[in-house]
Amino acid sequence: MDLQDAQSWLNEIVNEVSVQFQKMPGSAIFLRYVKSSYQNDPVRSAVELFLFLFFVRYLLAPKYSTQRKSYVTLSDEVCLLLTYGSVKLIYEQEIDELVDEWTPEPLVPPQTPFEEAENEKRPVIMGPTGPKSKLLSSGRTVTNLASYNFYNLVANETLKEKAIQTLRTYGVGPCGPPGFYGTQDIHMKTEADIASYLGVPACIVYAQAFSTISSVIPAFSKRGDIIVADKAVNYAIRKGIQISRSTVRWYEHNDMEDLQRVVQTVIKEQGKKELTRRFIITEGMFENTGDVVDLPKVVDLKLRYKFRLILDETSSFGVLGRTGRGVTEQQNVDSSQIDMIIGSLAGPLCAGGGFCAGSDEIVEHQRISAAAYTFSAALPAMLATTASEALLMLQTNSELLSQLRDNIRAMWAQLDPRSDWVHCTSSIDNPVMLLVLKSEVIASKKLSRADQEQLLQDVVDETLANGVLITRLKSMPRATHATPKDAGWEPQPALKWIATSQGSREPPPGLKVCMTMGHGPVAEGDGERLAERDGEGGTACGYEGCW
C-alpha cells in the first residue's frame, strides 16, 4: 500500500466516523460548541481536553497505590530463602513471632494497690437510695450521706405513679435517636418546661447527663477557636474541650483577675489575625471544690471582650436559688445573658439525662451538630415525665428547698468550730460538703497525696463501721501515656458528705468521728473499739493524734 492508498483509506475511516457521529443525538450542537470555542479561545479547548483525559484516567485508575509497601519487612535471610524455593514455614514463623512480640496499649491504667483494696470493700446498696440504706454485704441499715437524692424524690409516690403511667403509655424507651424517630411529645413538653423554668427561649434534652456538656462544646467550638476555661472544671468539660481540638487558655480557679488577664492576652494575640469564635467555660457550682462562681463578674468580662459564655450548672441546677433555678437565680443574673446553660436532670431531680438551654439558634444548631443528640437513643419517656414533675414540685413546694438549706446550715454549725484537722471548701448553700485536710496539718505531718487519700479512706471506713455511709471525692485517673506536664490541675483529696432535706439536723454519732479529728473519740464505744482494732494507744488511721 503506497502513501496515496493509505490517505484514501484514512479519509474513508474519518468520513465513516463523521457520518456515524452526526447520527448521534446532540452531535450538531456539540460540533458547533467546539468550533466556536476553538475559534474564540483555543486555549480553553486545550484545557478542557486535558481535564477530560484526566477524568477518564482517574476513573480507570485503581483506588489504592500499588507501589506503597504496607506489609511488614521480613529479615534478609527469609527473603533470600523465599527467592529460591519453599520456605513458607519460615515465613509464617517470623510473622507469628512479630505478632507475639506486639503488646497493645491498655485501655485503662492498671489499678494501684490502694485502688484494689478500695474496690474490694466498696459498699453496695440494696434497693433505692434514701436517708437510710441497706448494705448488700452485711444487711445492715446505715445512714446514707453519699447520695445525690437531696429531696428524697425517689420515694415520692406521686412521681412513681406518673412514671408508671408514662411507662404503660410510651413503653420503656424510644430505641432511636431524637432526629430520626426517637422524639416523642413528652420530650417536647419537658424541653418547654425547662425553658420556661429558666426563662430562656428554647431548650434541648439529651439522654445522658455526662455527654451533654462534652457534646455541646465541640458542637460550637472547632479547631482554631479559643476556649478560656477555669482550671477546676469537671471531667466532662475537659473531655468536651479535648474533643473540640480548640486552643485552650486556662485561668486560676475562680480568680476573676486572672480571668481578665487571660482574656486580655487572647484579645491581644488575636488582634492582627482573622476573627475566631471565643468562649469562656466555667461551672456554676464546682464539682471538684464545691464553691460557686462569681457569675456577674464573668458576664461583665464576657460582654466587655465579646466572648460567648458556656455555663455548666450540673451541680447547681435544682439546688441554688430561691426556686432551684441555679446560680443565675441565686446571683440575680438574667439567664438571657448566658449563651448556653447546661444542666443535669439526674441527681436532685431523680430522673436522667441532661439539657442545654439558650436561644432558638443555639438549640436548633445542636439538633444536627451535637454528637450525643444525633447518634444516641432519646431519653426514655418516663424519665422525661419525672423531670417535668420534679421541676413542678420545686416551684410549688418551697419547703423542699428551705428544709434542705436548714439542714446544710446545721451541719456547717457542727463542723466549723469543732475540727482542727479539716475545713470545708464548699459553698454555704451546697449540700455536697467537701472536707479537705488543712494545709498546716499536711505540712506538719508531711502528708503526700497518697497519704491524704489513705487517711481519708480510713475515715470513710470508720464512719461506715459506725453506721454512716460517706465517700471521698474521686478524680479521674491520668491517661497511661500522659506526662507530668499533661497532668494539669488536680483536686485536693477530700471527704464528701451530702446533706438531704429528709435527714436530721444533727450529725449522726458515727460522722462525728471525722468531724472531731484531733479531739478524741466522741461516739459511745469508739475508744474501746478503736483500741481493740489498733492495740492500746494505737490510732485508727495510722497517724498520731488523728482521733
Side-chain angles (χ1 to χ4, degrees):
M1 180 183 292
D2 57 9
L3 182 60
Q4 186 175 1
D5 293 338
Q7 289 180 347
S8 175
W9 177 76
L10 183 61
N11 289 334
E12 290 178 359
I13 293 179
V14 172
N15 292 333
E16 182 65 24
V17 171
S18 176
V19 170
Q20 296 297 329
F21 178 77
Q22 290 177 1
K23 293 180 180 180
M24 297 176 58
S27 58
I29 299 176
F30 178 75
L31 288 176
R32 285 198 302 270
Y33 167 76
V34 173
K35 290 179 180 179
S36 63
S37 174
Y38 179 78
Q39 291 174 356
N40 297 333
D41 191 358
V43 176
R44 188 180 71 174
S45 297
V47 172
E48 290 179 350
L49 178 61
F50 171 77
L51 292 176
F52 175 76
L53 295 176
F54 176 80
F55 176 71
V56 172
R57 181 187 180 280
Y58 179 78
L59 289 179
L60 300 178
K63 295 182 179 180
Y64 58 90
S65 175
T66 56
Q67 303 299 323
R68 180 183 300 174
K69 294 183 179 181
S70 58
Y71 50 82
V72 178
T73 303
L74 302 178
S75 63
D76 294 338
E77 180 182 358
V78 173
C79 292
L80 180 62
L81 291 173
L82 282 173
T83 304
Y84 284 98
S86 57
V87 238
K88 182 178 181 182
L89 179 61
I90 300 179
Y91 170 79
E92 292 179 349
Q93 181 179 359
E94 180 164 358
I95 294 297
D96 292 339
E97 290 176 356
L98 292 172
V99 172
D100 293 338
E101 292 174 0
W102 180 75
T103 303
E105 183 179 354
L107 296 177
V108 295
Q111 288 187 346
T112 63
F114 174 73
E115 291 172 339
E116 292 180 355
E118 180 187 8
N119 290 332
E120 288 179 359
K121 54 187 177 183
R122 190 183 304 277
V124 179
I125 293 176
M126 296 174 59
T129 61
K132 298 288 185 179
S133 298
K134 190 175 183 179
L135 299 181
L136 179 62
S137 58
S138 62
R140 284 196 309 147
T141 298
V142 296
T143 301
N144 188 355
L145 297 184
S147 169
Y148 283 84
N149 183 20
F150 302 142
Y151 309 112
N152 198 25
L153 295 181
V154 170
N156 188 279
E157 293 299 329
T158 302
L159 287 181
K160 288 182 181 179
E161 289 299 324
K162 291 284 186 180
I164 292 173
Q165 292 175 10
T166 306
L167 178 63
R168 289 172 176 167
T169 303
Y170 294 90
V172 177
C175 300
F180 189 30
Y181 56 85
T183 298
Q184 298 169 319
D185 56 349
I186 194 65
H187 296 116
M188 301 173 68
K189 179 181 182 301
T190 301
E191 291 176 348
D193 290 342
I194 297 172
S196 175
Y197 182 66
L198 292 174
V200 295
C203 173
I204 182 173
V205 170
Y206 289 77
Q208 304 90 17
F210 180 90
S211 60
T212 301
I213 183 66
S214 58
S215 294
V216 169
I217 294 174
F220 292 94
S221 184
K222 310 293 183 181
R223 185 190 297 273
D225 296 333
I226 307 295
I227 291 177
V228 178
D230 192 296
K231 283 186 175 181
V233 292
N234 59 50
Y235 184 71
I237 294 178
R238 290 179 177 272
K239 295 307 293 184
I241 293 175
Q242 178 185 4
I243 295 171
S244 72
R245 299 179 295 178
S246 303
T247 302
V248 187
R249 298 287 184 268
W250 301 96
Y251 66 92
E252 296 299 325
H253 171 54
N254 233 357
D255 188 340
M256 296 299 104
E257 293 183 359
D258 192 53
L259 171 59
Q260 183 172 3
R261 179 191 62 80
V262 173
V263 167
Q264 290 175 344
T265 303
V266 169
I267 295 297
K268 186 177 180 180
E269 292 175 352
Q270 296 293 313
K272 297 182 180 179
K273 299 180 181 179
E274 62 181 34
L275 185 63
T276 59
R277 291 179 290 257
R278 302 189 293 259
F279 299 88
I280 297 176
I281 301 179
T282 184
E283 291 185 73
M285 189 160 63
F286 289 87
E287 176 185 331
N288 291 320
T289 58
D291 51 350
V292 178
V293 68
D294 185 358
L295 191 57
K297 181 63 175 178
V298 175
V299 171
D300 176 65
L301 293 175
K302 168 239 176 185
L303 296 175
R304 189 189 313 172
Y305 295 102
K306 296 181 175 57
F307 275 68
R308 295 176 175 90
L309 176 58
I310 301 178
L311 179 65
D312 185 3
E313 293 227 50
T314 298
S315 300
S316 54
F317 181 73
V319 176
L320 298 184
R322 185 179 60 85
T323 58
R325 287 178 170 85
V327 69
T328 53
E329 183 180 43
Q330 184 200 43
Q331 300 185 7
N332 296 319
V333 175
D334 189 354
S335 56
S336 63
Q337 294 182 320
I338 314 297
D339 296 281
M340 283 161 267
I341 300 176
I342 289 86
S344 171
L345 301 177
L349 299 188
C350 294
F355 68 87
C356 177
S359 64
D360 291 317
E361 294 80 8
I362 290 290
V363 168
E364 293 305 318
H365 176 74
Q366 295 176 62
R367 298 195 190 278
I368 58 174
S369 300
Y373 186 86
T374 307
F375 301 109
S376 297
L379 183 71
M382 60 180 176
L383 295 182
T385 297
T386 303
S388 293
E389 294 297 325
L391 288 179
L392 181 61
M393 287 184 176
L394 290 180
Q395 296 178 79
T396 57
N397 189 358
S398 60
E399 293 182 0
L400 287 175
L401 287 160
S402 60
Q403 188 174 357
L404 175 63
R405 286 169 186 152
D406 289 343
N407 288 353
I408 295 173
R409 294 189 189 96
M411 298 291 275
W412 266 94
Q414 292 290 326
L415 170 70
D416 269 353
R418 302 186 62 179
S419 178
D420 293 335
W421 279 65
V422 297
H423 74 277
C424 184
T425 62
S426 299
S427 166
I428 189 65
D429 293 325
N430 189 353
V432 181
M433 305 181 71
L434 300 180
L435 307 180
V436 300
L437 294 172
K438 293 183 177 179
S439 57
E440 55 267 24
V441 173
I442 297 175
S444 62
K445 301 293 182 180
K446 298 180 180 179
L447 300 178
S448 65
R449 184 178 182 86
D451 293 335
Q452 297 176 54
E453 295 280 10
Q454 183 62 60
L455 172 59
L456 297 179
Q457 183 59 43
D458 288 338
V459 174
V460 171
D461 297 339
E462 197 62 42
T463 54
L464 183 59
N466 280 270
V468 181
L469 178 61
I470 63 172
T471 185
R472 294 184 296 109
L473 177 66
K474 307 295 177 61
S475 58
M476 297 304 296
R478 187 186 304 177
T480 54
H481 58 275
T483 62
K485 182 179 179 181
D486 300 328
W489 184 91
E490 289 185 328
Q492 184 178 350
L495 289 173
K496 181 193 290 186
W497 95 56
I498 302 174
T500 64
S501 62
Q502 303 296 318
S504 171
R505 296 189 183 184
E506 287 293 326
L511 189 56
K512 294 180 182 179
V513 174
C514 72
M515 292 173 55
T516 58
M517 288 194 297
H519 294 282
V522 295
E524 184 178 356
D526 280 349
E528 293 80 1
R529 186 172 48 76
L530 295 178
E532 290 176 3
R533 197 185 86 173
D534 300 299
E536 191 66 28
T539 59
C541 62
Y543 294 95
E544 183 179 358
C546 179
W547 302 100

